[in-house]
Amino acid sequence: MIWRAKVEMFELVALHECDPKRVARFLTLNRERFRPYAPTRSEHYYTNSHWRAACKRSKIEWKEGRAYRFVVMHKNEEVIGKIDLDHIRRGPFSTGDFGYLLDRRHEGQSIMRRAMEEVLSMVFTDFKLNRVQAAIMPQNTRSSGLVKRLGFREIGLAERYLKLDGEWRDHILFELVARKTEAQAAEAKAPEEASQPTPAETAPSEPVDAEIITDTPPADGPEEETKETS
């Protein structure tokens, strides 16, 4: 499956349809910029081989409805941003977590807002979720302002919510919940799916708190993508 959407000066592309080298280059160039908003990364995280494995995993996650990952392409050449809708819990939860990163050189141009609007247009219909959440550190006012403009509401402060850059950080949690009409549209779109449990629904539910991230990636796969929005 190929998924991409053109929005003005940039293109939103499914991670698994992007050249892994471009993703690795984007994260390497912005390594210091993103350091405060991410778990401590191993050197392997910034390699082409890591992102080849990550793109393969992303395709499987997308197919199984466990995560939807995107990159923002500038002029169809350079990766300048990344959006992850992951940690998806199906069944009675029907929720997922947003994380996003944008190259500093492209801040202040409404690029991430437009990209997020494109992804959010699919969340409650195509992806059939009821709720999505974003976790943002209190001092990250730019990201807080963005999610508020997108319709998220603040639901409270979570102390020591994520371990980022080697320290446990407090986060403000924001949520966006499907309107009734959107939920009904999602159900009407696939009535047969509603009568049969998906593999994710039959599996044990994931814990609500964040995953524990290790420095060293497993030998057969890439590191996890838990992070704050930036």
Side-chain angles (χ1 to χ4, degrees):
M1 173 185 176
I2 297 177
W3 191 97
R4 59 181 64 215
K6 291 185 178 180
V7 186
E8 296 185 9
M9 292 296 292
F10 65 89
E11 189 172 20
L12 190 65
V13 181
L15 174 64
H16 54 272
E17 297 296 339
C18 181
D19 183 347
K21 294 180 182 178
R22 294 181 177 181
V23 185
R25 175 176 171 77
F26 160 67
L27 291 165
T28 299
L29 289 174
N30 289 276
R31 183 170 182 169
E32 293 305 314
R33 164 75 176 101
F34 298 153
R35 187 186 297 275
Y37 307 101
T40 301
R41 302 295 193 187
S42 69
E43 290 300 320
H44 179 70
Y45 180 81
Y46 300 95
T47 65
N48 295 339
S49 61
H50 169 88
W51 286 101
R52 279 196 298 271
C55 287
K56 291 179 180 178
R57 183 181 67 180
S58 174
K59 186 174 184 178
I60 296 171
E61 291 175 329
W62 187 301
K63 183 178 180 180
E64 295 179 348
R66 294 188 288 113
Y68 303 96
R69 305 185 190 278
F70 302 83
V71 293
V72 182
M73 303 287 296
H74 181 56
K75 297 181 179 180
N76 199 30
E77 294 179 357
E78 181 186 14
V79 172
I80 62 169
K82 191 169 181 289
I83 300 174
D84 292 316
L85 175 57
D86 57 10
H87 300 149
I88 290 176
R89 283 82 77 193
R90 298 287 180 176
F93 281 105
S94 191
T95 187
D97 298 333
F98 262 118
Y100 51 85
L101 302 167
L102 181 65
D103 190 309
R104 184 187 292 277
R105 296 171 297 169
H106 296 273
E107 290 180 351
Q109 302 173 39
S110 298
I111 290 175
M112 186 52 70
R113 177 179 61 79
R114 292 172 183 148
M116 285 287 288
E117 286 174 344
E118 189 68 29
V119 176
L120 286 170
S121 71
M122 298 178 282
V123 163
F124 304 121
T125 52
D126 300 67
F127 301 158
K128 301 180 180 65
L129 295 179
N130 178 65
R131 176 184 176 278
V132 288
Q133 178 176 292
I136 301 172
M137 284 189 283
Q139 63 270 33
N140 193 347
T141 55
R142 180 185 289 272
S143 284
S144 296
L146 172 59
V147 296
K148 288 177 181 178
R149 288 194 295 275
L150 291 168
F152 284 73
R153 75 177 185 95
E154 183 178 328
I155 58 176
L157 177 69
E159 295 185 4
R160 294 170 55 84
Y161 183 71
L162 287 174
K163 191 174 185 180
L164 304 177
D165 195 23
E167 298 289 340
W168 287 102
R169 312 286 184 179
D170 295 349
H171 283 70
I172 300 173
L173 304 183
F174 295 85
E175 69 173 3
L176 184 64
V177 180
R179 295 188 296 271
K180 187 175 181 180
T181 53
E182 291 171 329
Q184 290 173 335
E187 291 175 3
K189 187 172 181 179
E192 293 183 1
E193 293 181 14
S195 63
Q196 297 181 3
T198 64
E201 287 175 331
T202 57
S205 60
E206 296 180 16
V208 176
D209 50 338
E211 288 187 60
I212 297 174
I213 310 300
T214 58
D215 278 353
T216 306
D220 59 348
E223 295 177 34
E224 295 291 343
E225 279 301 289
T226 298
K227 60 182 175 299
E228 188 198 313
T229 57
S230 168

